[in-house]
Amino acid sequence: MASRKDMEQEAELVAAILMELGGRDDLMLWRNNTGKLPSRDGRRWVSFGSPGSADILCVVRHGQIGLGVLVGIECKTLRGRVTVVQQAWGRRLTELGGVYVVARKVEDAVAVVDQVARNEG
């Protein structure tokens, strides 16, 4: 399991990517939360999201044709490891024509989104 420091750094990376890409008019993006939380009464755990799905999802207009491509951005620190479930989710997305990237810095995410927007990815 990731350390508290790694989790904080990962959350900062997610926020930075959302800020960097958020003003663009060629895409729509959102934070994709997944996990488990205790119920209000504390008697059970409530799961939410799709296990292994990327931290950020965005639909990018692909080149001049205007079709949207789903891009999954998994945010990891330099030491962070992609789990087997996350790897499987990323493979499935790419099998279906989407794009998956493990971003360890803001520039990783921006580069992939730019490639898709330019019809190169």
Side-chain angles (χ1 to χ4, degrees):
M1 184 156 185
S3 71
R4 183 180 217 47
K5 183 179 178 184
D6 283 343
M7 290 172 54
E8 289 171 0
Q9 289 175 341
E10 206 170 274
E12 289 171 8
L13 178 59
V14 169
I17 291 170
L18 290 170
M19 288 294 294
E20 181 69 27
L21 295 175
R24 292 176 59 152
D25 64 357
D26 62 341
L27 60 84
M28 179 177 73
L29 79 158
W30 61 97
R31 173 73 170 103
N32 182 46
N33 290 311
T34 61
K36 292 182 182 180
L37 290 172
S39 62
R40 289 184 185 180
D41 63 10
R43 293 184 187 174
R44 60 189 161 83
W45 288 92
V46 178
S47 297
F48 55 94
S50 177
S53 60
D55 295 310
I56 299 172
L57 298 176
C58 63
V59 177
V60 180
R61 188 175 3 185
H62 190 260
Q64 298 297 321
I65 56 176
L67 293 176
V69 174
L70 182 63
V71 176
I73 303 169
E74 181 60 43
C75 299
K76 293 290 181 190
T77 63
L78 294 177
R79 297 181 336 169
R81 306 239 186 249
V82 181
T83 68
V84 171
V85 175
Q86 290 168 334
Q87 291 172 7
W89 191 93
R91 270 193 311 277
R92 186 66 178 139
L93 176 61
T94 57
E95 288 169 0
L96 294 171
V99 176
Y100 182 76
V101 60
V102 176
R104 297 189 184 273
K105 56 187 189 272
V106 173
E107 295 81 8
D108 295 340
V110 172
V112 168
V113 168
D114 286 345
Q115 286 176 343
V116 172
R118 288 191 310 261
N119 200 22
E120 296 174 359

